[in-house]
Amino acid sequence: MASTLNRPDRPSRADLAAAADKVLPDVIAPGLDVLLCGINPGLWSAATGHHFARPGNRFWPALHLGGFTPRQLRPDEQHLLPGYGLGITNLAARATARADELTREELTTGGEILRDKVERFAPKWLAVLGVTAFRTAFGAARVQVGPQAPHFAGARLWILPNPSGLNAHFTLDKLTTEFARLHDVVTSG
């Protein structure tokens, strides 16, 4: 993805405005241990070309502290994830400033696309980062953070909290605990 950024980690206001509605490619491969599914890319991520790139997003620290990576990766190192058995996709492809800008239809359609991806790439686990978005996309009003039944398109399903800094209810410690719970189950077989 070509960028006009002066500094790849600090997009300008013009870069962020130009990122609206852009699509961020998945980091995905067949047979992953865990396919992590965000809600949708933020403008910072779309401008930089890297998932969970906005400063203050707790995804990368929680992923490391939860045991999935031996060190905290930077967003521009997302290409290393498949080597750890991990990948990233999103429920909705369109970049927005806030996830609440998405329509119910976008999330529902994104859920259908996600189901197809999971069937095609066959990860062992699908971890959706955002309980409210999952509820909307799949009409699953009672789903909570944690393991879910039944399987999703052949993968075991786990719901994680949204790591956005806007989700202040879940501190980094609480996020890390949830990521670690998933990691423990994934590594125990």
Side-chain angles (χ1 to χ4, degrees), residues 20-104:
D21 300 327
K22 281 189 176 178
V23 173
L24 190 58
D26 293 338
V27 176
I28 196 166
L32 296 169
D33 292 327
V34 181
L35 178 59
L36 297 144
C37 180
I39 299 169
N40 75 309
L43 298 181
W44 201 290
S45 289
T48 62
H50 306 298
H51 292 271
F52 302 104
R54 185 174 183 82
N57 190 299
R58 286 96 36 98
F59 173 81
W60 297 101
L63 192 69
H64 166 62
L65 295 170
F68 282 101
T69 59
R71 65 177 176 83
Q72 184 175 318
L73 300 177
R74 298 182 316 270
D76 65 339
E77 294 178 303
Q78 67 185 16
H79 64 279
L80 299 175
L81 289 175
Y84 298 114
L86 306 170
I88 302 176
T89 190
N90 287 291
L91 266 173
R94 179 174 71 94
T96 61
R98 296 174 52 104
D100 62 8
E101 295 175 37
L102 299 170
T103 66
R104 178 176 297 277

